[in-house]
């Protein structure tokens, strides 16, 4: 998820930054995070020119959190002791539903450690439903049809694009929490794990 407290580079001070990664200052042994709040859809689409066509800005119609000037690459980073700065990032675009990426990353983490069956603490900071919230097209369409959202009552206005984005993000977040619970069951942690969901 998101980390608001500084640079992930272990040598950030050499570049005028402040070293403050989950690994160096957070007490974590593994990480998979963005430096700050990222869009909830196609979050790293502006990290490479060839990915720009994949960008979905939802009801905003343009990037936020990086205006009027600034870095619009919201990529996921993880620890890599062999990389020059001690971290590496995604070399492929994130999916339209960012919460699915995080649920999958957690599932992969559990799979790696499943043979150990040692206690662990995981903090998963979803970008959903933080602004700029952007629901995936498929989930927005399902909500607009009344399949996953309560349809507007007679006399009520149809949902706005912004409302559809928000409701879609809630649905995506709910699905991701379900995937995490299923991963805990699949790898034998469910009956011995405390899960705290804070919104």
């Amino acid at each position: 998820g998101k980390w608001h407290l500084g640079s992930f580079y272990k040598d950030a001070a050499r570049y005028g930054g402040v070293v403050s990664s989950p690994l160096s200052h957070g007490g974590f042994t593994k990480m998979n995070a963005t430096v700050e709040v990222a869009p909830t859809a196609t979050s790293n689409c502006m990290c490479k020119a060839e990915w720009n066509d994949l960008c979905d800005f939802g009801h905003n119609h343009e990037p936020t959190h990086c205006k009027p000037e600034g870095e619009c690459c919201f990529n996921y980073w993880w620890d890599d002791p062999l990389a020059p700065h001690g971290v590496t990032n995604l070399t492929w675009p994130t999916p339209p539903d960012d919460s699915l990426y995080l649920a999958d990353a957690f599932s992969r983490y559990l799979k790696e450690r499943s043979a150990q069956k040692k206690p662990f603490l995981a903090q998963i900071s979803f970008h959903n439903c933080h602004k700029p919230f952007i629901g995936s097209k498929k989930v927005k369409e399902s909500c607009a049809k009344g399949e996953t959202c309560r349809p507007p009552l007679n006399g009520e206005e149809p949902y706005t694009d912004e409302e559809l984005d928000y409701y879609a993000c809630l649905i995506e977040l709910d699905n991701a929490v379900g995937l995490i619970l299923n991963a805990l069951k699949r790898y034998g942690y469910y009956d011995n794990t405390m899960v705290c969901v804070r919104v």
Side-chain angles (χ1 to χ4, degrees), residues 86-116:
V87 291
T88 194
N89 64 6
L90 281 180
T91 55
W92 62 90
T94 53
D97 177 359
D98 181 69
S99 59
L100 277 181
Y101 170 77
L102 288 171
D104 178 65
F106 176 72
S107 183
R108 285 183 275 122
Y109 167 75
L110 278 187
K111 183 178 181 181
E112 283 176 18
R113 64 176 294 112
S114 62
Q116 302 170 25

Side-chain angles (χ1 to χ4, degrees), residues 141-151:
E141 288 173 354
S142 177
C143 184
K145 293 177 187 173
E147 296 170 353
T148 53
C149 298
R150 175 189 65 82

Side-chain angles (χ1 to χ4, degrees), residues 47-164:
C47 295
K48 290 187 176 180
E50 60 265 30
W51 298 349
N52 285 350
D53 290 343
L54 303 172
C55 290
D56 178 1
F57 301 120
H59 64 277
N60 293 309
H61 307 292
E62 62 183 357
T64 59
H65 281 62
C66 54
K67 296 186 301 186
E69 295 176 7
E71 181 62 63
C72 284
C73 174
F74 300 101
N75 213 344
Y76 279 95
W77 296 81
W78 57 88
D79 48 300
D80 181 355
L82 302 178
H85 304 291
V87 291
T88 194
N89 64 6
L90 281 180
T91 55
W92 62 90
T94 53
D97 177 359
D98 181 69
S99 59
L100 277 181
Y101 170 77
L102 288 171
D104 178 65
F106 176 72
S107 183
R108 285 183 275 122
Y109 167 75
L110 278 187
K111 183 178 181 181
E112 283 176 18
R113 64 176 294 112
S114 62
Q116 302 170 25
K117 291 292 185 270
K118 291 182 180 177
F120 69 92
L121 170 80
Q123 174 187 329
I124 305 168
S125 300
F126 289 100
H127 296 113
N128 285 10
C129 293
H130 191 295
K131 287 184 178 182
F133 49 83
I134 304 158
S136 64
K137 182 179 178 188
K138 180 180 174 184
V139 178
K140 284 173 66 173
E141 288 173 354
S142 177
C143 184
K145 293 177 187 173
E147 296 170 353
T148 53
C149 298
R150 175 189 65 82
L153 300 174
N154 286 337
E156 288 183 343
E157 294 290 321
Y159 293 126
T160 65
D161 198 41
E162 184 173 358
E163 288 171 327
L164 287 171

